[in-house]
Amino acid sequence: MALWLAGTRGATYYTKTLMSNTFRSLRTRATAIASKDEGSFTKRQILSNRFVSRRFGSSVAGQQSDLFSSDDDEEKIQALDFPGGRVPYTLEMRFLPGSSDKRVECYRVLDDDGYPLSSAPSQHIDKEVAVKMYSGMVTLEAMDTVIYEAQRQGRISFYMTSFGEEAVNLGSAAALSPDDVVLPQYREPGVMLWRGFQLQEFVDQFFGNKNDLGKGRQMPTHYGSNKHNVLTVSAPLATQLPQAVGAAYSLKMQNKDACVVTYFGDGCSSEGDFHASLNFAAVLEVPIVYICRNNGWAISTPVTEQFRSDGIVVKGQAYGIPSIRVDGNDILAVYNAVVAAREMAISEQRPVLIEALTYRVGHHSTSDDSTKYRPLEEIEHWKTSRNPVSIFRKWVQRKGWWSDQQESEFRATIRKQVIHAVQVAEKTQKAPIETMFSDVYEKVPSNLMEQEKLLKETIKRYPQDFPKDVPIGM
Amino acid sequence: MATNLRRFKRFGSIFTNHSNHLRRLSSSPASAGVLASADGQILQQGKSINLYTAINQALHIALDSDPRSYIFGEDVGFGGVFRCTTGLADEFGKHRVFNTPLCEQGIVGFAIGLAAMGNRAIAEIQFADYIFPAFDQIVNEAAKFRYRSGNEFNCGGLTIRAPYGAVGHGALYHSQSPEAFFCHVPGLKVVIPRSPKEAKGLLLASIRDPNPVVFFEPKGLYRLAVEEVPEGDYTLPLSEAEVIREGSDITLVGWGAQLTTMEQACVDAEKEGISCELIDLRTLLPWDKETVEASVRKTGRLLISHEAPVTGGFGAEISASIVERCFLRLEAPVARVCGLDTPFPHVFEPFYMPTKNKILDAIKETVNF
């Protein structure tokens, strides 16, 4: 809408020799109509146009036919029948602007002190859910703190924290049904926590021991669980997005009362798979909620070097997908938006996109030092005054559902639980060497049997070359 | 793409004049005798049909026998540019047989997600030359889906069909044979049929196999190759090569359309007193080393032929493996008669191709080494 309004302020350009420019101006007008900005499209402009094109025989009537007078003949003169719908002509050569003067606004419910900003009706959240949301945020924070330290001590190889993005994690998770299928990126462990994935299960994954559902094959933070309807994380960015469309198509064909929810970051939106996914989802009309965690940084690349659009929200609209921008550090805003998006996705069988503006307070991973490329003050600002956990804590405490005493007790308990999980995971054996060869195919083929046999012979000859904590069945 | 379709159709009809010799590449009588249906019954010989009709029959059976199977890709809805999906949308509905936007990575990504939810996802890539935008989804996602999740999830219901190979005028981007790229990827199966009956049985086996399969169809044979194909539901085993011509002096290994040319070379070699054994590998990954090894142990000589460029082609893998296993039995170096190491050229296609006489020369050189 804003995009088109800016365009109408351009100079009017009228010429009778405009035919050669028809195609581009038609595209311009088509977009204007897609924005349903009827007011800017005057009858005078329509009537001044006398061009007729009969190149395309389609008689599909567009939704915009109400813009015209009821005179059929006049209508034929004023518009082009084009596959996909009628497109009005204009004599004004006008380019759509590359960006709007005004940025798409950001929906929020709470201010930075956790006070509701309006008395407008919001989703009802009862005490039990609110406390579970808050304790989930704290649990995620505690897990990140302990595991980050464990990595620094050399106990595990790698880790990625979710610091600063706890509200997107827990707010979205709480708004979903357990039947909704989640295709995560890698900074959404809070969604699994909400669904009951245990701390011990996380830590077993980080250590890659025999209890890791992934059988020690992937790096830490690449979790997934069939029982919890969360597909396993894979490191390549945005690959989950077109897959989400296929999963959603399955839900649609099975008439399930569920949707697919897929997460990604601002950097992901530059990948081809992102664009493929949005376009497929819109065309195939599948129930998906896209949740973009726009956290400002893709490792060291800021959003200003990632795209020139107004973030991700406008890209959803470009693909014909209802989209909203929310304050990703306001858990109630995230919750409300996801509840509404989910409802829309399932009842209307269509994709919906949410761009959550948040901030990656931690480094990209334990292999990264983000102070090398961004100012400390910026990190500090988001860590303190925009901290999603403390904003929500204030709201929950004001409700009388949480206290300072509960806070300190809960934090101490959770920290102990994570440390205990680390101790247990560390002592647990790795999966046996056979696990290296299984699951490549449904059945182990002969070439892998042969390679397993040869490897075991090598291990027998040179046991000193191999880690001791992997059982070798001889 | 539509323009190309029309061109292929035109050339297809011209090529049918040569269909007599092409009948030779059909399934051997030996294999026909053991052809069993899905319920174990021996099947009767069916009507004579061409390869695209056999593919169409297999897809029809796949849709009919599993309500959770789906077929989709560019232009699939109206029957596909090679007509392989003709009539399927009308019979099974537009929700099960449908067009997708023109985006290969989207098609394969979508297919993986659909398969991961327990469906049979049969994706069509219009030409194998255009499969590369989907390479990441195939290599990093489909192939590793089961392994990386510890078998929590799998996309075994995925089959990617793509027409490959030379057609006489396809040039750089309508002729390639990219099978070797996919043979380097643990977790994938790669299958290439040589004839209508093989195509139907192998495609149904691929669709029902619990692993992701890349199924390359020899598009030059879509209309040219005609043979009797059982009308019912049957599968042919994956990862089992087939000896389609027995011989004692040299073993020839190939797959897909190239077997036609190789068989002609075998016939000519026989006239000169050389007895050739010809093997259709059928599944390139995981491949049947044992059948090739047994043959080479018998003949002492090996020749591999494929349309793809010789360097880094799958022939190199077969050669290395057989030398490892049969070094002392080999009477001569392993010969490779393949596409040249150039992009696939338009007017120079007859020069680029591993032709009958190039193969015949290599047979004679190897036998007389």
Side-chain angles (χ1 to χ4, degrees):
Chain A
M1 180 82 74
L3 218 63
W4 168 247
L5 282 172
T8 60
R9 283 195 287 272
T12 303
Y13 186 80
Y14 183 97
T15 169
K16 287 184 177 176
T17 58
L18 212 55
M19 200 62 174
S20 63
N21 195 45
T22 306
F23 196 75
R24 182 164 294 193
S25 54
L26 289 180
R27 298 289 291 250
T28 306
R29 184 60 80 192
T31 313
I33 281 166
S35 74
K36 296 200 175 107
D37 187 8
E38 298 173 16
S40 64
F41 196 55
T42 66
K43 186 85 181 284
R44 186 190 57 77
Q45 284 172 318
I46 296 161
L47 291 174
S48 65
N49 186 339
R50 290 282 176 259
F51 295 134
V52 180
S53 172
R54 299 186 192 278
R55 277 184 65 199
F56 298 97
S58 168
S59 58
V60 179
Q63 293 172 344
Q64 64 274 22
S65 56
D66 57 336
L67 290 173
F68 300 92
S69 68
S70 57
D71 184 335
D72 282 353
D73 291 339
E74 193 178 86
E75 209 174 294
K76 274 179 196 161
I77 296 165
Q78 304 314 322
L80 170 66
D81 274 340
F82 192 83
R86 182 171 281 262
V87 181
Y89 282 122
T90 178
L91 297 182
E92 274 182 74
M93 186 176 74
R94 184 164 45 209
F95 296 87
L96 280 178
S99 61
S100 162
D101 293 344
K102 202 178 145 211
R103 295 198 66 180
V104 174
E105 58 278 268
C106 180
Y107 166 71
R108 73 193 301 206
V109 174
L110 300 177
D111 69 12
D112 289 352
D113 284 319
Y115 284 103
L117 284 157
S118 116
S119 54
S122 186
Q123 293 290 335
H124 174 73
I125 295 182
D126 63 22
K127 180 185 171 183
E128 192 191 353
V129 173
V131 169
K132 189 180 170 188
M133 285 161 83
Y134 180 68
S135 53
M137 293 170 103
V138 174
T139 305
L140 180 53
E141 226 181 8
M143 180 170 85
D144 279 349
T145 307
V146 174
I147 304 299
Y148 186 82
E149 286 164 16
Q151 195 281 336
R152 284 301 184 232
Q153 292 163 3
R155 292 171 172 213
I156 59 169
S157 59
F158 174 86
Y159 192 63
M160 305 178 97
T161 65
S162 303
F163 291 131
E165 301 182 44
E166 292 89 350
V168 187
N169 267 260
L170 275 303
S172 60
L176 302 175
S177 142
D179 292 335
D180 295 334
V181 178
V182 174
L183 281 84
Q185 186 171 311
Y186 45 63
R187 226 181 285 280
E188 298 90 11
V191 178
M192 294 187 73
L193 272 175
W194 177 269
R195 292 187 170 199
F197 197 69
Q198 299 296 302
L199 280 174
Q200 189 66 56
E201 292 179 285
F202 273 112
V203 181
D204 286 337
Q205 198 281 322
F206 303 150
F207 278 83
N209 65 31
K210 67 175 185 184
N211 296 330
D212 165 19
L213 292 181
K215 303 180 185 172
R217 291 169 185 153
Q218 290 216 76
M219 289 170 80
T221 72
H222 293 57
Y223 33 72
S225 166
N226 197 323
K227 186 176 134 192
H228 298 95
N229 264 330
V230 180
L231 272 77
T232 306
V233 171
S234 85
L237 289 180
T239 51
Q240 74 277 18
L241 301 180
Q243 294 168 16
V245 185
Y249 195 81
S250 184
L251 296 179
K252 180 187 174 96
M253 288 298 107
Q254 295 173 83
N255 292 314
K256 291 266 170 102
D257 182 25
C259 64
V260 165
V261 182
T262 187
Y263 294 84
F264 59 102
D266 41 290
C268 256
S269 74
S270 297
E271 289 281 3
D273 275 345
F274 165 80
H275 299 274
S277 177
L278 264 62
N279 193 39
F280 270 58
V283 171
L284 296 170
E285 297 170 348
V286 295
I288 293 193
V289 178
Y290 289 97
I291 301 179
C292 176
R293 296 174 294 93
N294 181 351
N295 65 17
W297 294 89
I299 305 188
S300 72
T301 306
V303 286
T304 49
E305 292 167 25
Q306 195 68 251
F307 40 68
R308 278 288 172 273
S309 61
D310 180 9
I312 285 82
V313 67
V314 294
K315 293 177 183 172
Q317 191 188 31
Y319 285 104
I321 296 175
S323 305
I324 189 172
R325 171 175 279 164
V326 303
D327 179 355
N329 286 22
D330 172 357
I331 194 166
L332 295 185
V334 174
Y335 178 84
N336 289 352
V338 177
V339 167
R342 180 183 184 274
E343 171 62 27
M344 211 188 302
I346 295 172
S347 64
E348 298 175 27
Q349 290 292 295
R350 66 186 307 178
V352 183
L353 184 143
I354 297 171
E355 179 187 25
L357 297 184
T358 181
Y359 190 83
R360 193 194 77 214
V361 165
H363 306 304
H364 165 71
S365 73
T366 47
S367 307
D368 174 42
D369 174 5
S370 63
T371 59
K372 286 196 171 138
Y373 51 78
R374 56 182 188 177
L376 275 172
E377 305 76 50
E378 181 182 302
I379 303 172
E380 205 50 33
H381 168 70
W382 285 88
K383 201 173 177 175
T384 52
S385 46
R386 294 276 299 133
N387 186 316
V389 184
S390 32
I391 293 172
F392 193 49
R393 179 184 168 186
K394 287 171 192 159
W395 185 82
V396 185
Q397 290 211 184
R398 264 185 223 113
K399 285 268 184 189
W401 295 343
W402 195 255
S403 66
D404 287 348
Q405 193 192 342
Q406 276 172 297
E407 176 77 11
S408 56
E409 280 172 11
F410 185 73
R411 284 195 179 268
T413 310
I414 282 294
R415 187 176 166 83
K416 269 185 212 154
Q417 281 177 12
V418 182
I419 291 169
H420 177 72
V422 169
Q423 288 162 343
V424 170
E426 214 164 19
K427 285 182 204 141
T428 307
Q429 257 190 338
K430 299 287 187 277
I433 191 72
E434 290 79 8
T435 316
M436 178 176 161
F437 298 94
S438 57
D439 302 334
V440 180
Y441 295 93
E442 196 238 1
K443 287 195 185 100
V444 181
S446 60
N447 59 322
L448 287 183
M449 287 183 196
E450 187 187 329
Q451 289 170 22
E452 186 184 328
K453 186 168 156 273
L454 288 170
L455 176 64
K456 283 181 174 173
E457 284 165 16
T458 306
I459 298 168
K460 222 172 190 172
R461 284 196 300 281
Y462 305 102
Q464 72 278 10
D465 289 359
F466 301 97
K468 298 282 174 291
D469 55 353
V470 175
I472 314 296
M474 289 294 186
Chain B
M1 206 58 68
T3 311
N4 289 319
L5 159 67
R6 285 192 288 276
R7 292 173 65 196
F8 280 118
K9 272 183 171 171
R10 194 170 72 237
F11 279 83
S13 60
I14 291 166
F15 283 163
T16 46
N17 298 332
H18 305 286
S19 63
N20 282 347
H21 70 71
L22 280 153
R23 284 172 185 266
R24 288 198 204 108
L25 62 82
S26 62
S27 299
S28 63
S31 73
V34 295
L35 208 58
S37 69
D39 56 8
Q41 289 182 327
I42 302 298
L43 291 162
Q44 302 294 315
Q45 290 293 305
K47 288 181 190 161
S48 269
I49 56 170
N50 62 20
L51 198 142
Y52 89 73
T53 308
I55 296 283
N56 183 262
Q57 279 188 11
L59 295 174
H60 189 283
I61 290 167
L63 289 166
D64 201 33
S65 58
D66 184 352
R68 292 190 67 181
S69 52
Y70 299 89
I71 297 176
F72 46 88
E74 293 157 18
D75 305 306
V76 158
F78 91 112
V81 298
F82 289 108
R83 313 310 299 147
C84 291
T85 52
T86 302
L88 300 178
D90 289 340
E91 185 160 353
F92 295 98
K94 288 183 174 177
H95 287 302
R96 293 185 64 200
V97 181
F98 50 94
N99 288 340
T100 63
L102 204 163
C103 177
E104 288 77 13
Q105 66 199 91
I107 293 169
V108 176
F110 174 87
I112 293 169
L114 189 60
M117 298 289 283
N119 304 284
R120 297 208 183 279
I122 306 162
E124 178 175 306
I125 299 296
Q126 201 163 71
F127 285 83
D129 309 70
Y130 305 136
I131 204 167
F132 301 109
F135 203 59
D136 186 45
Q137 284 288 350
I138 297 171
V139 172
N140 272 331
E141 296 294 315
K144 298 168 175 62
F145 217 85
R146 187 191 298 274
Y147 192 77
R148 74 178 184 213
S149 71
N151 207 20
E152 286 285 294
F153 300 96
N154 74 81
C155 63
L158 168 66
T159 303
I160 300 165
R161 297 174 42 242
Y164 87 97
V167 286
H169 58 267
L172 287 83
Y173 306 115
H174 296 88
S175 306
Q176 293 177 79
S177 300
E179 69 272 6
F181 292 108
F182 300 94
C183 291
H184 201 58
V185 187
L188 291 183
K189 291 195 176 183
V190 179
V191 179
I192 307 181
R194 70 172 184 275
S195 74
K197 187 157 77 185
E198 290 282 310
K200 183 174 171 183
L202 288 171
L203 179 55
L204 277 167
S206 298
I207 290 167
R208 290 163 181 170
D209 190 86
N211 298 286
V213 179
V214 181
F215 190 87
F216 288 116
E217 297 166 5
K219 64 176 176 288
L221 302 184
Y222 271 143
R223 288 160 186 277
L224 284 174
V226 178
E227 71 176 329
E228 285 189 357
V229 175
E231 285 184 35
D233 184 349
Y234 68 94
T235 58
L236 293 169
L238 301 187
S239 290
E240 277 187 29
E242 186 187 1
V243 177
I244 53 175
R245 180 188 177 95
E246 290 192 8
S248 54
D249 297 328
I250 182 168
T251 301
L252 276 72
V253 177
W255 49 87
Q258 185 60 10
L259 288 164
T260 312
T261 312
M262 295 170 79
E263 187 157 34
Q264 290 161 21
C266 290
V267 170
D268 283 9
E270 195 171 34
K271 289 175 194 159
E272 301 189 30
I274 302 170
S275 167
C276 300
E277 182 145 303
L278 181 60
I279 296 177
D280 177 3
L281 204 55
R282 305 206 281 190
T283 299
L284 279 70
L285 189 72
W287 66 289
D288 180 0
K289 262 183 219 177
E290 287 68 29
T291 297
V292 179
E293 182 187 351
S295 175
V296 175
R297 285 200 182 281
K298 182 174 77 175
T299 63
R301 298 175 187 88
L302 175 62
L303 180 152
I304 305 140
S305 182
H306 54 66
E307 284 180 25
V310 63
T311 301
F314 197 64
E317 177 59 36
I318 298 170
S319 171
S321 297
I322 294 305
V323 168
E324 278 170 5
R325 290 179 172 219
C326 308
F327 183 70
L328 292 175
R329 177 66 189 89
L330 285 171
E331 311 270 353
V334 175
R336 286 183 292 159
V337 184
C338 304
L340 305 183
D341 290 336
T342 65
F344 201 105
H346 189 206
V347 299
F348 308 113
E349 177 175 325
F351 303 92
Y352 170 94
M353 291 292 282
T355 55
K356 181 198 73 177
N357 283 329
K358 287 184 189 176
I359 297 169
L360 187 59
D361 272 358
I363 290 172
K364 289 193 267 188
E365 276 169 32
T366 305
V367 170
N368 299 321
F369 183 77

